[in-house]
PDB file of all heavy atoms in Angstrom:
ATOM      1  N   ARG A 200    -135.651-123.087-127.328  1.00 96.00           N
ATOM      2  CA  ARG A 200    -135.476-122.726-128.736  1.00 96.00           C
ATOM      3  C   ARG A 200    -134.255-123.410-129.339  1.00 96.00           C
ATOM      4  O   ARG A 200    -134.116-123.511-130.552  1.00 96.00           O
ATOM      5  CB  ARG A 200    -135.331-121.200-128.887  1.00 96.00           C
ATOM      6  CG  ARG A 200    -136.630-120.465-128.689  1.00 96.00           C
ATOM      7  CD  ARG A 200    -136.487-118.997-129.004  1.00 96.00           C
ATOM      8  NE  ARG A 200    -135.755-118.291-127.956  1.00 96.00           N
ATOM      9  CZ  ARG A 200    -135.630-116.972-127.912  1.00 96.00           C
ATOM     10  NH1 ARG A 200    -136.177-116.236-128.861  1.00 96.00           N
ATOM     11  NH2 ARG A 200    -134.968-116.392-126.934  1.00 96.00           N
ATOM     12  N   VAL A 201    -133.343-123.835-128.473  1.00 97.00           N
ATOM     13  CA  VAL A 201    -132.108-124.463-128.938  1.00 97.00           C
ATOM     14  C   VAL A 201    -132.195-125.977-128.750  1.00 97.00           C
ATOM     15  O   VAL A 201    -132.492-126.464-127.659  1.00 97.00           O
ATOM     16  CB  VAL A 201    -130.896-123.910-128.166  1.00 97.00           C
ATOM     17  CG1 VAL A 201    -129.628-124.682-128.535  1.00 97.00           C
ATOM     18  CG2 VAL A 201    -130.725-122.418-128.456  1.00 97.00           C
ATOM     19  N   THR A 202    -131.964-126.714-129.837  1.00 96.00           N
ATOM     20  CA  THR A 202    -131.888-128.176-129.769  1.00 96.00           C
ATOM     21  C   THR A 202    -130.450-128.586-130.038  1.00 96.00           C
ATOM     22  O   THR A 202    -129.889-128.260-131.089  1.00 96.00           O
ATOM     23  CB  THR A 202    -132.807-128.821-130.830  1.00 96.00           C
ATOM     24  OG1 THR A 202    -134.152-128.396-130.594  1.00 96.00           O
ATOM     25  CG2 THR A 202    -132.724-130.346-130.763  1.00 96.00           C
ATOM     26  N   LEU A 203    -129.872-129.277-129.082  1.00 97.00           N
ATOM     27  CA  LEU A 203    -128.511-129.772-129.257  1.00 97.00           C
ATOM     28  C   LEU A 203    -128.564-131.186-129.822  1.00 97.00           C
ATOM     29  O   LEU A 203    -129.387-131.999-129.389  1.00 97.00           O
ATOM     30  CB  LEU A 203    -127.767-129.769-127.923  1.00 97.00           C
ATOM     31  CG  LEU A 203    -127.646-128.416-127.226  1.00 97.00           C
ATOM     32  CD1 LEU A 203    -126.872-128.561-125.920  1.00 97.00           C
ATOM     33  CD2 LEU A 203    -126.961-127.381-128.136  1.00 97.00           C
ATOM     34  N   ALA A 204    -127.682-131.458-130.767  1.00 97.00           N
ATOM     35  CA  ALA A 204    -127.666-132.781-131.399  1.00 97.00           C
ATOM     36  C   ALA A 204    -126.239-133.305-131.479  1.00 97.00           C
ATOM     37  O   ALA A 204    -125.659-133.421-132.560  1.00 97.00           O
ATOM     38  CB  ALA A 204    -128.300-132.700-132.789  1.00 97.00           C
ATOM     39  N   PRO A 205    -125.659-133.641-130.306  1.00 97.00           N
ATOM     40  CA  PRO A 205    -124.346-134.297-130.353  1.00 97.00           C
ATOM     41  C   PRO A 205    -124.504-135.698-130.917  1.00 97.00           C
ATOM     42  O   PRO A 205    -125.342-136.473-130.426  1.00 97.00           O
ATOM     43  CB  PRO A 205    -123.906-134.310-128.878  1.00 97.00           C
ATOM     44  CG  PRO A 205    -125.144-134.092-128.082  1.00 97.00           C
ATOM     45  CD  PRO A 205    -126.152-133.424-128.933  1.00 97.00           C
ATOM     46  N   GLN A 206    -123.758-135.996-131.940  1.00 96.00           N
ATOM     47  CA  GLN A 206    -123.993-137.232-132.689  1.00 96.00           C
ATOM     48  C   GLN A 206    -123.801-138.480-131.837  1.00 96.00           C
ATOM     49  O   GLN A 206    -124.465-139.491-132.059  1.00 96.00           O
ATOM     50  CB  GLN A 206    -123.070-137.275-133.906  1.00 96.00           C
ATOM     51  CG  GLN A 206    -123.495-138.304-134.938  1.00 96.00           C
ATOM     52  CD  GLN A 206    -122.748-138.144-136.245  1.00 96.00           C
ATOM     53  OE1 GLN A 206    -122.058-137.161-136.462  1.00 96.00           O
ATOM     54  NE2 GLN A 206    -122.873-139.120-137.111  1.00 96.00           N
ATOM     55  N   ASP A 207    -122.889-138.410-130.845  1.00 96.00           N
ATOM     56  CA  ASP A 207    -122.662-139.604-130.031  1.00 96.00           C
ATOM     57  C   ASP A 207    -123.821-139.869-129.070  1.00 96.00           C
ATOM     58  O   ASP A 207    -123.882-140.919-128.433  1.00 96.00           O
ATOM     59  CB  ASP A 207    -121.336-139.506-129.278  1.00 96.00           C
ATOM     60  CG  ASP A 207    -121.318-138.338-128.294  1.00 96.00           C
ATOM     61  OD1 ASP A 207    -122.208-137.472-128.377  1.00 96.00           O
ATOM     62  OD2 ASP A 207    -120.414-138.289-127.448  1.00 96.00           O
ATOM     63  N   GLU A 208    -124.759-138.927-128.971  1.00 96.00           N
ATOM     64  CA  GLU A 208    -125.933-139.140-128.124  1.00 96.00           C
ATOM     65  C   GLU A 208    -127.207-139.321-128.943  1.00 96.00           C
ATOM     66  O   GLU A 208    -128.064-140.132-128.601  1.00 96.00           O
ATOM     67  CB  GLU A 208    -126.149-137.922-127.196  1.00 96.00           C
ATOM     68  CG  GLU A 208    -125.036-137.688-126.196  1.00 96.00           C
ATOM     69  CD  GLU A 208    -125.283-136.433-125.371  1.00 96.00           C
ATOM     70  OE1 GLU A 208    -126.454-136.019-125.246  1.00 96.00           O
ATOM     71  OE2 GLU A 208    -124.310-135.856-124.869  1.00 96.00           O
ATOM     72  N   THR A 209    -127.321-138.548-130.034  1.00 94.00           N
ATOM     73  CA  THR A 209    -128.600-138.512-130.752  1.00 94.00           C
ATOM     74  C   THR A 209    -128.537-139.074-132.167  1.00 94.00           C
ATOM     75  O   THR A 209    -129.555-139.128-132.849  1.00 94.00           O
ATOM     76  CB  THR A 209    -129.111-137.062-130.843  1.00 94.00           C
ATOM     77  OG1 THR A 209    -128.177-136.294-131.616  1.00 94.00           O
ATOM     78  CG2 THR A 209    -129.233-136.436-129.458  1.00 94.00           C
ATOM     79  N   GLY A 210    -127.336-139.442-132.621  1.00 93.00           N
ATOM     80  CA  GLY A 210    -127.227-139.915-133.995  1.00 93.00           C
ATOM     81  C   GLY A 210    -127.289-138.755-134.970  1.00 93.00           C
ATOM     82  O   GLY A 210    -127.012-137.603-134.613  1.00 93.00           O
ATOM     83  N   LEU A 211    -127.678-139.057-136.196  1.00 91.00           N
ATOM     84  CA  LEU A 211    -127.730-138.013-137.216  1.00 91.00           C
ATOM     85  C   LEU A 211    -128.801-136.976-136.872  1.00 91.00           C
ATOM     86  O   LEU A 211    -129.829-137.310-136.256  1.00 91.00           O
ATOM     87  CB  LEU A 211    -128.025-138.633-138.586  1.00 91.00           C
ATOM     88  CG  LEU A 211    -126.900-139.492-139.157  1.00 91.00           C
ATOM     89  CD1 LEU A 211    -127.331-140.131-140.473  1.00 91.00           C
ATOM     90  CD2 LEU A 211    -125.630-138.663-139.355  1.00 91.00           C
TER      91      LEU A 211
END
Side-chain angles (χ1 to χ4, degrees):
R200 287 187 286 188
V201 173
T202 301
L203 301 181
Q206 196 168 349
D207 63 347
E208 296 177 24
T209 63
L211 291 176

